[in-house]
């Protein structure tokens, strides 16, 4: 699972490498720009206005109009959802013009959308890190009961995301409705689809 708090892996807009001076040496791993969709400005070329974790607003454009990777069978720039752009670079456009992120030809299909706002994505990231982080035992997501060795006391994983676990049916029901897993389950699933 990704560590969203890692600025090398999830840089803000201003921390992105510039498109005109490729980083040298090349970064060792992929990095991802996470930004919440504010507005779909598409006229011809797919274009969205987004906001990153630092509060910076900017445009993301898809140069070849390839957005097959977005949504299911079509473009779905939903306000409030989070755009995930792998290996994003910042294009400075000279004086008086705001910098943008251009998704180059052929890369549009690699862009994904998480069905949640940036705050919710970071919250879920922190929870996932708590569940899966090194040295942390599995716990019931509702009551905090620790997993035990005996098979009959092992926790049951949520069948939706396979990540969150519960000690009993009652805790699962409570976790789903009262504690809000209903809203997070599909987001965790999309996070897993991208990063695991
Ligand atoms: Zn429990
Ligand atoms: Zn789930």
């Amino acid at each position: 699972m990704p560590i969203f708090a890692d600025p090398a892996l999830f840089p803000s807009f201003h921390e992105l490498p510039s498109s005109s001076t490729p980083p040298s040496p090349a970064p060792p791993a992929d990095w991802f720009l996470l930004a919440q969709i504010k507005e779909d400005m598409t006229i011809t070329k797919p274009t969205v206005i987004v906001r990153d974790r630092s509060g910076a607003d900017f445009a993301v454009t898809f140069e070849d109009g390839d957005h097959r990777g977005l949504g299911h069978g079509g473009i779905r720039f939903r306000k409030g959802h989070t755009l995930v752009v792998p290996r994003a670079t910042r294009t400075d456009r000279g004086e008086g013009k705001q910098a943008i992120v251009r998704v180059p030809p052929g890369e549009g299909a690699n862009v994904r959308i998480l069905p949640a706002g940036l705050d919710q994505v970071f919250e879920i990231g922190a929870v996932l890190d708590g569940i899966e982080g090194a040295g942390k035992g599995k716990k019931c997501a509702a009551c905090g009961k620790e997993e035990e060795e005996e098979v009959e006391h092992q926790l049951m994983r949520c069948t939706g995301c396979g990540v969150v676990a519960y000690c009993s049916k009652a805790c699962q029901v409570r976790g789903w409705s009262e504690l809000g897993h209903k809203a997070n389950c599909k987001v965790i699933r999309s996070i897993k689809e991208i990063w695991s």
Side-chain angles (χ1 to χ4, degrees), residues 140-145 166-168 171:
C140 172
C143 71
K145 191 168 179 263
Y166 299 101
C167 72
S168 64
C171 275

Side-chain angles (χ1 to χ4, degrees), residues 158 160-161 181 185:
C158 169
C161 61
H181 187 60
C185 191

Side-chain angles (χ1 to χ4, degrees), residues 97-108:
K97 286 188 171 177
Q98 286 186 328
I100 62 169
V101 169
R102 282 200 173 113
V103 178
E107 288 288 316

Side-chain angles (χ1 to χ4, degrees), residues 103-119:
V103 178
E107 288 288 316
N110 297 323
V111 173
R112 294 286 180 274
I113 286 181
L114 297 173
L118 207 46
D119 288 347

Side-chain angles (χ1 to χ4, degrees), residues 124-140:
I124 290 171
V127 170
L128 292 178
D129 190 36
I131 292 171
E132 306 217 320
K136 287 165 194 149
K138 290 273 185 191
K139 281 184 189 170
C140 172

Side-chain angles (χ1 to χ4, degrees), residues 61-66 85-89 101-109 111:
T61 65
F62 295 77
E63 292 305 307
D64 58 1
D66 183 357
V85 186
R87 297 175 298 279
T89 57
V101 169
R102 282 200 173 113
V103 178
E107 288 288 316
V111 173

